Amino acid sequence: MDTELTSVQCPPQVPLDLLELRKRLGSVMAVDDCKNRLIQDLFFEVETLHSALLNECTKQENERFRLNQEIAQYKTEVADLRHNQAKLSFVSILVDGDCMNFNDALIQEGHNGGRRAARLLLQAVERYIRDTDPQASPSLQYRVSVYANLPGLEKAYREAKVLSWTETLDPFVRGFNMEDSQCDFIDAGNGKECSDVKIRATFERDILDVHCRHIIFCAATDNGYARLLGSHRGSNRITLVEGAPFAWEIEQLATELRTAAFPAVFRAAKLPARAYSFSAAATASANVVAASPPTAGDTQSSSPARRDYATIAKANLQMTPSPSASSSSYSATASTTPTPPTPSPSSSSSTSTSTQIIFNISPSVTSTPLLPKIKYNARGHRIDPQLPRASSKENYERLRAAKLCNRYHLQDDCSYGDSCTHAHGRRLTSAQDLHDLRCISRTSVCGEGLWCTNRKCVCGHQCPWESWRDHELTGCRFPEEMHGVDREVVRVE
C-alpha cells in the first residue's frame, strides 16, 4: 500500500529572548529562596519553642514530684495529729446538781446508788454520742462534773421525804466519785450562785478546748444559763439534757441546739417545794415568857408575849431538832383540850427559883395561812382561776427583770433556800406587786401539767395568752393540751 506523506504546517517561529528568560528564572529562584528562608526560620522557631516546652515540662514534673512528697509528709503529720488528738479527745458532762436532780431511787441507795448513777449517766452519754457522732473515736473520754450546794441539796431531799432526817448525801457522793476516775461530784459551796459560777467557768474552758468534742449540758432548768448559751446558738457541739421541763429562756434556745433526755438518771420534775413546818418545841419556846414579878423599873407587861411568825421562825432556827424530841414535844402540845397548869407542892416550892413557862395557844393566831383549794373540771384537769391583767406594763416588766422567786414571795415557800437562782431578799408586801408577780408566775409552765395537785403551785396550768387575738399555738411554750381546757368546775378540793 502506498503511503502518502503529508506536510504539517508549523507555527511561525518566534525569536526567543534568552536574556528575558534568564531574568524571569532569576525572579522565580529569588522567590523560592525567600520561601525556603521563611520555612527555615519557622522550623528554627518551632524547634526553639519545643525545646523551651520540654524544659518547662521537666521543671514542672520535678515540682510536682516535690509537692507530692510534701503532701505525703503533711498527710502523715495530720494523721499523727489526729491520732494524738483522739487520745486526748473528751466529752464534757456538766451537771448542776441543785436544779438537775438524780432519781429518788438512786439517792436512797446511798453508796451503791451513787455508783449506779455515775454508771448509768456514762452509758447514756456514750450511747448518745455513738448515735449522733459516728466519727467519734472509740477511745473518747467522758468527764463528768457535778456541782451542787451539798448541805442545801441534802436538806431539799430530806424535806421531799427522799431521805430521812438521819440520812445524808455523803454515801451517794462517795459512790459517785468512786465509780470512775473521770466522775466528780463537787460541793460548790453554800452561796446562792456558787454552782452557777463553777458551771459557767467549766463550760467556757471546755468550749475553747480543741480536744473537747462535745458538751452535755445538764442544767437547762435555770434561766440564768441562757446568757451563757446564747452566743452558741446553732452549735453542734452542745446538747441540752432535759430532766425537769426546760426553763422558758432555755426552751427558746433548745430549738437551735441539740436536746436529749436520760430518764434513767434524772428526775422528770424538780424536787417539790418544802413546806415550813415548825416543830412544837420551837413553837413552845417562842411563847415562853418569864413570869417573875416585875421590878419597879420595868415598863413591860408581865402578860405572855404574843406569838407571831418571826418569833416562831427565830426559835425554830435556834433549836437542834431530833426525832425523839420532836415527837415528844408534839405529843405534849397536841392536846385538843388545853388545861391550865395545876401547881403541885413540888412545883410551887420551886416557883420562886425557876421560870414559869406559859404557852399561848390562842386559836386566833395561826403560823401558816390556809392554802387555796384547787378547782377541777369533768376530766380531772386542774383549772387556774382567772386573773385580771397586770396593773401596768411598766411594773410587770420591772418585776420580771428582777427575776424574783415566785414561790418565795407568793407562798413563802422556796425549797432551794440559799441555792435558789432567783431573788429572795425582802418579801413583797404591795398588793399590786404581788398580783403582778402572780401574773408573771402564771406564764411558767407547771411540770405536772393539767394533773397538778399541789396547792402551793403558782405556775400556769393553762395558757394565759390563748384568748389574745394574735396568739398562735405554734411556738407557744405551753403544750397543745394546755389550750382550750374545759373551764367548767365540777369539784373543788
Side-chain angles (χ1 to χ4, degrees):
M1 173 180 297
D2 295 335
T3 301
E4 291 185 2
L5 297 176
T6 59
S7 60
V8 180
Q9 296 290 332
C10 294
Q13 294 182 357
V14 180
L16 295 176
D17 190 349
L18 295 177
L19 183 59
E20 181 65 23
L21 290 174
R22 288 183 183 279
K23 288 182 179 179
R24 290 171 64 185
L25 176 61
S27 298
V28 171
M29 292 177 66
V31 172
D32 290 340
D33 291 341
C34 184
K35 289 193 293 182
N36 291 335
R37 284 195 301 269
L38 177 61
I39 292 172
Q40 291 176 358
D41 292 341
L42 290 174
F43 273 109
F44 178 78
E45 188 67 23
V46 169
E47 290 175 355
T48 303
L49 293 175
H50 180 66
S51 177
L53 178 60
L54 290 177
N55 293 334
E56 186 65 25
C57 288
T58 302
K59 181 179 178 181
Q60 293 299 325
E61 185 67 21
N62 294 334
E63 184 68 14
R64 186 181 67 83
F65 179 75
R66 185 185 65 82
L67 291 176
N68 284 338
Q69 285 185 323
E70 289 185 1
I71 291 173
Q73 181 181 353
Y74 292 149
K75 285 183 177 180
T76 302
E77 292 178 358
V78 169
D80 292 341
L81 287 174
R82 288 179 176 175
H83 181 70
N84 293 332
Q85 185 178 5
K87 293 180 180 178
L88 300 175
S89 294
F90 66 93
V91 173
S92 178
I93 306 169
L94 302 181
V95 183
D96 187 336
D98 294 332
C99 65
M100 199 76 173
N101 308 122
F102 289 93
N103 281 331
D104 297 354
L106 298 174
I107 296 294
Q108 291 169 344
E109 289 180 18
H111 184 273
N112 292 334
R115 297 189 74 112
R116 195 155 70 91
R119 187 165 57 252
L120 289 173
L121 180 57
L122 288 172
Q123 291 173 353
V125 174
E126 188 173 357
R127 282 194 300 269
Y128 173 78
I129 294 297
R130 188 169 58 246
D131 293 340
T132 58
D133 189 3
Q135 304 299 323
S137 170
S139 60
L140 197 62
Q141 300 180 42
Y142 297 88
R143 301 179 183 176
V144 183
S145 299
V146 183
Y147 298 102
N149 170 10
L150 283 182
L153 185 61
E154 183 178 278
K155 186 176 182 181
Y157 274 117
R158 286 174 174 174
E159 292 174 344
K161 309 298 183 183
V162 178
L163 295 175
S164 68
W165 286 99
T166 59
E167 294 177 313
T168 68
L169 273 178
D170 291 345
F172 177 87
V173 173
R174 283 196 297 269
F176 191 94
N177 289 334
M178 292 174 63
E179 176 61 24
D180 191 278
S181 60
Q182 298 290 339
C183 291
D184 297 318
F185 199 122
I186 302 168
D187 185 357
N190 60 357
K192 183 178 180 181
E193 300 290 339
C194 288
S195 297
D196 301 38
V197 171
K198 295 286 187 181
I199 292 285
R200 288 189 178 93
T202 308
F203 177 90
E204 291 171 351
R205 179 197 67 195
D206 291 345
I207 199 67
L208 296 177
D209 193 333
V210 295
H211 299 105
C212 181
R213 192 170 186 90
H214 207 89
I215 294 180
I216 305 295
F217 196 79
C218 307
T221 60
D222 185 352
N223 277 323
Y225 294 115
R227 262 63 64 193
L228 176 67
L229 299 169
S231 59
H232 301 283
R233 296 173 184 267
S235 173
N236 60 356
R237 295 178 59 204
I238 303 172
T239 294
L240 304 180
V241 176
E242 183 175 15
F246 287 147
W248 177 66
E249 293 183 60
I250 301 295
E251 188 176 3
Q252 312 308 310
L253 289 173
T255 59
E256 303 180 55
L257 294 171
R258 295 180 180 181
T259 59
F262 305 142
V265 182
F266 298 112
R267 287 173 57 102
K270 288 185 177 181
L271 289 171
R274 70 172 183 240
Y276 284 99
S277 177
F278 296 115
S279 64
T283 306
S285 65
N287 290 285
V288 172
V289 294
S292 55
T295 61
D298 290 340
T299 59
Q300 188 176 5
S301 174
S302 60
S303 60
R306 186 175 183 270
R307 179 182 65 177
D308 59 11
Y309 179 88
T311 307
I312 297 174
K314 182 177 180 180
N316 191 69
L317 293 175
Q318 291 174 347
M319 296 191 65
T320 303
S322 64
S324 59
S326 298
S327 60
S328 62
S329 299
Y330 179 81
S331 61
T333 59
S335 175
T336 57
T337 307
T339 57
T342 302
S344 61
S346 59
S347 62
S348 59
S349 62
S350 60
T351 303
S352 59
T353 60
S354 63
T355 301
Q356 182 182 1
I357 299 177
I358 301 176
F359 296 93
N360 180 1
I361 55 174
S362 172
S364 61
V365 180
T366 58
S367 59
T368 55
L370 293 176
L371 296 175
K373 294 185 177 182
I374 302 177
K375 300 178 180 179
Y376 299 91
N377 62 16
R379 300 184 62 183
H381 295 163
R382 178 170 179 164
I383 302 175
D384 288 334
Q386 294 285 359
L387 285 179
R389 291 226 172 181
S391 61
S392 66
K393 182 178 179 181
E394 293 74 15
N395 195 51
Y396 181 93
E397 294 297 334
R398 178 182 66 83
L399 294 174
R400 183 180 177 185
K403 293 185 64 177
L404 300 175
C405 176
N406 298 332
R407 289 181 176 177
Y408 176 82
H409 291 279
L410 295 177
Q411 292 290 353
D412 186 24
D413 182 27
C414 177
S415 61
Y416 297 100
D418 293 337
S419 64
C420 181
T421 58
H422 291 74
H424 284 193
R426 186 175 182 180
R427 289 184 175 85
L428 298 179
T429 56
S430 166
Q432 172 181 310
D433 289 346
L434 291 171
H435 172 72
D436 291 352
L437 184 61
R438 190 171 295 277
C439 293
I440 294 172
S441 70
R442 285 284 185 88
T443 64
S444 299
V445 183
C446 175
E448 301 296 327
L450 296 170
W451 307 102
C452 177
T453 58
N454 182 8
R455 287 189 177 185
K456 293 185 178 182
C457 181
V458 295
C459 297
H461 306 89
Q462 288 92 47
C463 175
W465 305 293
E466 61 179 341
S467 60
W468 292 18
R469 181 181 304 174
D470 57 347
H471 178 65
E472 296 182 359
L473 182 59
T474 304
C476 180
R477 74 179 67 167
F478 282 79
E480 184 177 358
E481 62 268 17
M482 289 189 178
H483 292 77
V485 177
D486 179 16
R487 303 190 66 85
E488 183 177 355
V489 179
V490 298
R491 62 186 175 92
V492 179
E493 293 182 356

